[in-house]
Amino acid sequence: MNWTLEVVVVPVSDVDRAKSFYAERLGFAVDHDTDLGGLGRIVQLTPPGSGCSIVLGRGVVPEMPPGSLKGLQLVVPDLEKAHAELVERGVAVSEIQVVGQNPGPVPQPLDNVGFVFFTDPDGNAWAVQQISSRA
């Protein structure tokens, strides 16, 4: 049996501002934006190529302080290209950092150990890691 992670709720203070950041700055696809009347609102967005989406909302999502989610991680095959794209889109992103070392040879020197970091407008913290191929 496969167990797949499909959705992560990201706590935000302003759904419209967060939706704009994730869609326009990060290029996530807006899967749906559903107003549930007096019950609340749910916005689901998916990173390009991902099988897991994020959900922003109010009223019908778990209560968490905005900005309290830390350690979300995206994986890309080319970190330099991803970094350039984030900068071009106006995301305040760290420089490329090497964290640790590979125990053996890898196809690209940044594989597994290359990262950049950014936060969304509420302070939810994201990392982007390079993995160009998996064994």
Side-chain angles (χ1 to χ4, degrees):
M1 173 184 332
N2 290 336
W3 296 56
T4 61
L5 179 63
E6 300 286 336
V7 173
V8 174
V9 176
V10 177
V12 299
S13 60
D14 182 322
V15 176
D16 288 322
R17 179 180 71 174
K19 176 184 173 186
S20 176
F21 175 80
Y22 285 102
E24 297 169 19
R25 299 286 174 134
L26 297 181
F28 288 20
V30 178
D31 302 324
H32 64 85
D33 184 342
T34 305
D35 186 342
L36 302 170
L39 296 176
R41 178 178 173 201
I42 297 175
V43 179
Q44 181 173 318
L45 303 104
T46 303
S50 180
C52 185
S53 302
I54 63 167
V55 165
L56 317 170
R58 62 175 161 67
V60 293
V61 296
E63 286 287 329
M64 294 183 284
S68 64
L69 196 55
K70 309 295 181 197
L72 293 166
Q73 188 164 310
L74 299 166
V75 173
V76 297
D78 184 335
L79 190 60
E80 291 170 338
K81 183 176 178 181
H83 181 266
E85 185 175 317
L86 290 171
V87 169
E88 185 177 300
R89 291 174 168 268
V91 176
V93 62
S94 73
E95 293 300 319
I96 293 174
Q97 300 175 30
V98 173
V99 179
Q101 62 185 41
N102 281 301
V106 292
Q108 302 293 326
L110 290 175
D111 277 355
N112 306 315
V113 297
F115 290 85
V116 295
F117 303 92
F118 66 89
T119 59
D120 73 9
D122 283 292
N124 294 298
W126 290 80
V128 182
Q129 178 187 26
Q130 177 173 308
I131 300 177
S132 65
S133 64
R134 297 194 188 263

